Amino acid sequence: MAEIETVVERTVNAEGADPLLLAGIADGNFRELTRLFRVQVVFRGDEVRLSGDEEAVSRSVPVVEHMIELSRLRKPFQITDIARFAEGLELRDGPDMRSEDERLRIRIPGSRRDIVPRSEGQRAYLQALDDSDIVIAIGPAGTGKTYLAVARAVDALFKKRVRRIVLARPAVEAGESLGFLPGDMQEKVDPYLRPLYDALEDMMASNRVQRAIEERTIEIAPLAYMRGRTLSDAFVILDEAQNATAAQMKMFLTRIGVNSRAVITGDKTQIDLPRTQVSGLLQIEDILKTVEGIDFVYLDALDVIRHRLVKDIINAYRQADERTGHDPEEEIP
């Protein structure tokens, strides 16, 4: 009696991939997969379904994942490349054999360069952004807190894991009154939000950023504008969170809706709130530290990636505070 062949099925997520690049003309790329691995390939919606012998399906999955990644990046490949992909991936025993930096690498279509962690702290930060629904990153200027969060948000948007990005900052006055700044309210608060625009425009063309803002795929707004809203299917970032009051922080955290991720970034040494107000960032360190699904990441001078003198400046201020017994978390810098 002939042995009955066991057929297995695997589904690979293809969200964000260019369908034509992935499938090829007249599904030529998928027909080549069938020829090479003897698997049946079905492409529907955002999924590629592979079925066939267990070993053949296992061997074909890394190749399909590589094809999907190239299609997401809008990098064309030929039918003849697929066999080469298979050979290369088998030599490294599948995609999980990549280095840690490769797994954490962020490739944004049209960006001038790939974004990779450049310190141990940044590696831990990017890993937390992958693993947790809410990440709270605390550290000094220049450690990539905002930049990496924006990069992960743009990556999620391109891969269609979220429908929009919401970037918020407290519009806290630091030596100047909003009332004395020129222009209407939007023009008054734009200077506070400029670092968020800068991060976006480093990853996307300016006209593309502007179009996304006009279509409300990307929203950049003062924290106060978040009140009363529910942010679903969104990647939400609260920057400069040390200047959010306790009430504002609670308001922000309770805006998060279904299928949303949130990142809170701040520097405890740069609090511009009046002495009578408690920083919401300091408060949530104690309140939320045991809540499952929330990850705290701490960055320090070793993670600074700006000019080399920035690291030395941060250390000099820290040493001065230690000599004088000054606690920067209790003072307005």
Side-chain angles (χ1 to χ4, degrees):
M1 184 174 178
E3 185 177 340
I4 299 175
E5 185 179 276
T6 302
V7 175
V8 299
E9 186 176 283
R10 287 279 300 276
T11 300
V12 184
N13 188 345
E15 59 182 350
D18 184 300
L20 182 57
L21 287 180
L22 178 58
I25 297 173
D27 291 339
N29 293 339
F30 291 154
R31 285 190 280 108
E32 178 67 2
L33 283 169
T34 297
R35 188 187 71 80
L36 288 171
F37 297 104
R38 300 290 189 268
V39 293
Q40 183 180 0
V41 185
V42 177
F43 183 29
R44 289 203 183 114
D46 288 333
E47 294 181 343
V48 176
R49 194 172 303 132
L50 303 167
S51 59
D53 174 77
E54 183 173 3
E55 182 183 353
V57 170
S58 296
R59 290 174 57 226
S60 66
V61 165
V63 179
V64 172
E65 289 175 336
H66 188 62
M67 292 165 58
I68 289 170
E69 189 62 27
L70 290 174
S71 301
R72 283 172 176 155
L73 297 170
R74 307 304 192 262
K75 292 185 176 180
F77 55 90
Q78 305 298 319
I79 290 177
T80 52
D81 292 328
I82 297 174
R84 183 171 55 82
F85 296 159
E87 182 180 355
L89 289 166
E90 285 179 359
L91 287 174
R92 72 182 189 190
D93 195 26
D96 289 338
M97 297 303 291
R98 295 174 299 170
S99 68
E100 182 180 4
D101 279 2
E102 183 64 26
R103 291 196 302 272
L104 297 176
R105 182 182 299 272
I106 301 173
R107 295 184 175 96
I108 298 172
S111 177
R112 292 189 291 272
R113 62 185 182 278
D114 291 352
I115 298 166
V116 296
R118 295 172 61 182
S119 69
E120 289 302 319
Q122 289 193 352
R123 288 186 184 92
Y125 184 27
L126 281 173
Q127 190 63 60
L129 291 175
D130 282 347
D131 295 342
S132 301
D133 288 337
I134 298 178
V135 176
I136 300 165
I138 298 173
T143 51
K145 302 184 302 295
T146 303
Y147 191 84
L148 292 177
V150 171
R152 188 57 83 195
V154 172
D155 182 53
L157 184 66
F158 273 113
K159 291 178 178 176
K160 299 182 181 178
R161 293 174 180 166
V162 296
R163 291 170 50 199
R164 56 180 169 158
I165 298 172
V166 179
L167 308 174
R169 263 191 168 205
V172 173
E173 300 171 9
E176 288 184 277
S177 172
L178 281 173
F180 290 100
L181 293 175
D184 58 22
M185 181 53 68
Q186 188 60 47
E187 291 170 325
K188 289 176 189 289
V189 300
D190 267 355
Y192 294 92
L193 307 175
R194 188 67 247 174
L196 298 174
Y197 286 99
D198 290 343
L200 279 171
E201 290 173 358
D202 196 53
M203 302 168 203
M204 303 168 60
S206 296
N207 61 340
R208 196 169 187 178
V209 173
Q210 191 57 44
R211 187 167 66 250
I213 291 172
E214 290 170 357
E215 295 171 350
R216 301 191 69 78
T217 304
I218 297 177
E219 180 180 354
I220 306 176
L223 175 58
Y225 288 17
M226 299 295 106
R227 188 171 298 279
R229 301 178 60 188
T230 299
L231 303 174
S232 300
D233 293 314
F235 199 114
V236 191
I237 300 173
L238 173 58
D239 194 34
E240 295 290 333
Q242 75 276 1
N243 289 327
T245 65
Q248 286 176 327
M249 183 64 75
K250 181 179 179 182
M251 178 270 291
F252 173 80
L253 287 167
T254 54
R255 299 307 93 203
I256 300 167
V258 177
N259 191 39
S260 286
R261 310 292 290 272
V263 183
I264 297 169
T265 70
D267 179 355
K268 295 190 292 185
T269 68
Q270 296 290 328
I271 298 173
D272 295 315
L273 292 170
R275 294 172 186 264
T276 55
Q277 290 187 317
V278 176
S279 168
L281 182 64
L282 301 184
Q283 189 183 64
I284 61 172
E285 268 194 291
D286 180 56
I287 293 176
L288 302 181
K289 61 185 177 183
T290 60
V291 177
E292 187 176 350
I294 298 179
D295 204 343
F296 283 83
V297 178
Y298 292 89
L299 303 167
D300 56 30
L302 295 175
D303 302 303
V304 171
I305 56 173
R306 289 181 182 168
H307 192 287
R308 63 176 182 82
L309 287 176
V310 174
K311 186 182 299 183
D312 296 336
I313 290 167
I314 291 170
N315 285 329
Y317 269 97
R318 179 181 53 78
Q319 292 166 8
D321 290 337
E322 290 173 354
R323 288 194 302 270
T324 61
H326 170 70
D327 185 353
E329 295 179 19
E330 300 295 333
E331 300 286 342
I332 300 175

